[in-house]
Amino acid sequence: MIEVNGLRKKFGTVEALSGISFHVRAGEIYGLLGPNGAGKSTTIGVLCGLVSPDAGAARLNGIDVMQQPVQARRSLGVVPQEVALYMEMSARDNLSFFGRLYGLKGADLRNRIDSVLARVRLDDRAKEPIERFSGGMLRRLNIAAGVLHAPAVVLMDEPTVGLDPQTRASILELVREIAVDGTAVVYTTHYLDEAERLCHRIGIIDHGTILAEGTLAELRHAAGEREIVALRGTFRSEAAPEVLRNCPEVVLIRASESELLLALQSSERQLSTLLPIAGSIGVVREVAVKQPSLESLFIKLTGRELRE
Amino acid sequence: MHASLLIALHHLRRTLRSPGLILVLMAIPLTIAGIEYAAFGRSVATGKLPPVKVLVMDEDSSFASGFVKQFLSAGPAKDRFEVSDAGGLDGAREQFSKGNASALIVIPKGFQQALLEGRQTDLILYKNPTQSIYPEIADSVLDIAVSVGNGLIAQARQPLDQLRKLSDEGRRPTDAEVSAISTAAYRAGERLAALGALQGIAIDVQRPSRGSEKTTGGSPMGAFFGTIFPGLVLFALLFISEALALRLLRDRTRGLQRRLMMACVSRVAIAVGGVIYVVTGLLAILALLGLVGHLLFAIEIRSPAGLALIGLGFALFAAGLQMAIASLARSERGVQAVVGGVVMMVSLIGGSFVPLESYPPFLRAIGLLTPNGAAQRAMVDLIVNAQPFAHVLPSVATVWCWGIVVLAAAVILDRRRRDA
């Protein structure tokens, strides 16, 4: 359904995509995780035809997005992060407009609108101007507008940002239902728990490339059951690699003047030796330990937390 | 094209659902036209200056002072002055402060005696300090009236001298003296009658066309509005085009344009849809304002096809101008600031507020080269001067040139912005 091969894109001197590749099958929810500036938006921009890559190829439902952009977008539904809807119009009128843009009309359009409004549980508010809707209702309608034309591929760009847990849960359920129908879904999110609960496979992206990819179990295995330890205080960061050379089981992920980020086999066993070593290059004020998880893998791979 | 029409229709529907700002902007030309008509309209429409309200304070209460008042209120100056009694200086001051009078003429005590004695005497004119134009008109007209009065006195100098002599001697005139005075007065009257024959010359005011064709202005009121209304409508259209274009800009900042670009619609179709929306909206508003002008201000809608062609060219210009500014500006506030300045400048130079014929020649020439100056000239020529369309073709071509050039520039700028 979605085939991305070796995409490269430079904006001036900044390389936004460095040969990114991934595939998503029909009915699969693929989580694309990465910190800000990792290349998620550029990747989605290429798939939507908004950004022309310097090299590589992308196909949606077998159609090359660079060669036949309009035809490729016919198979594509996009749910943007922001609520991109016409506030002065009703839910039905919004959907009617987006449906017509995809060539739907007549009874087919009406039936699809009824069906999708029922799915997002807005059928009883269909004729109201949506400026009266709550944030959760608008997000649900935002999704409805993206899937109205029953696309083979749906790109969802952080559709739950800023929502309460209950609304988030209802939207995740909606995404699952969409995938059950055979739609390939690319889902970007900052919430790792969402990715863990929702996605069949996850790709961790940073600096324009996929660092790790697989099912949750595969990724956990890749994390090597290591814990992530963050030592916070004041450090001579340039001395960190040298002093840690004597601790072969400790992997330095990142060193800064305020934090040393390390991967350990067992913090319980190794902290007692690690703290004096860290103390030799600075002052330790706080110790934080993260158990092996998708988050610890993410930090290990990118050196950053996802919210950064 | 189908997608472009779909997008344009969609935007028009949205505008109809929240037309508040558009209606307010549409009220601008109607309000300004109404105010201008209230201020100048009735007199300008009938081709005459409005009468100047003048107060008279007669301190002499003589035959001669009565003659002066008669001259102002019923004589040759009767159409220029609306005369009423001042009721003293305090009364005049009060009338001045209320704006009910533009000037006060004081006929001083001894006025008649001075005339009889052949001495110079002064009529005193007080001008209302709160007004500027009407007191000057009163001054000019009174100056002419005094010249005429001095001429009359010169003609009647002989019988006046005889009357003064009898008065000085304090005796009854003899039959021979009565006969001599009567004869002199009769002869003066004959000379005055000869002067009066000058009234046989009248001024027939005509308003010839700029070309050789015969023109007609329709009803006086329609001619008045037909002259000022097009400029005001074009001014309002520029601001309305801003309101329409701002909707598209908001769509851009709220991610709606991006969503359209991610749908199966080409970028060209989206841009063309936006242009069709603004141009169609402006044409509809122009037609509506024209209809209101016809019903409310008795403007005759001549050559509707020609007017539509001018309107279309101007709408293309307005749409292009807004799109170009929206492409360059970084925010909605930036667009509003730039558009406000550009619209005011173009409208002032183009003669939306002050008739172009009042401008000095070089500025008039520039004004006629502006899109709204050319459009206004063409519209007035069609509506008021009943010119054939061929006569206004150069102005129409100017408007269309602006429309095409500015729209093309807007398309290039929009493409650059999206590529960036």
Side-chain angles (χ1 to χ4, degrees), chain B residues 277-301:
Chain B
Y277 157 61
V278 178
V279 170
T280 313
L282 289 178
L283 279 178
I285 289 163
L286 179 65
L288 196 60
L289 285 172
L291 186 65
V292 173
H294 175 66
L295 296 175
L296 215 59
F297 303 139
I299 297 172
E300 287 189 45
I301 306 295

Side-chain angles (χ1 to χ4, degrees), chain A residues 83-152:
Chain A
V83 175
L85 297 165
Y86 298 99
M87 291 294 166
E88 65 274 40
M89 302 182 87
S90 68
R92 178 171 286 280
D93 287 342
N94 265 285
L95 294 179
S96 175
F97 171 62
F98 288 114
R100 282 175 204 279
L101 283 181
Y102 285 94
L104 302 177
K105 55 188 172 184
D108 183 29
L109 175 62
R110 282 195 299 276
N111 292 339
R112 286 194 194 216
I113 290 173
D114 289 340
S115 162
V116 80
L117 280 173
R119 180 176 255 186
V120 297
R121 294 185 298 286
L122 289 171
D123 41 345
D124 56 335
R125 310 283 297 267
K127 292 180 180 174
E128 278 183 39
I130 62 167
E131 58 200 358
R132 297 180 199 160
F133 281 16
S134 67
M137 291 162 76
L138 287 172
R139 290 299 177 103
R140 296 208 301 270
L141 186 63
N142 207 29
I143 293 173
V147 301
L148 173 74
H149 56 293

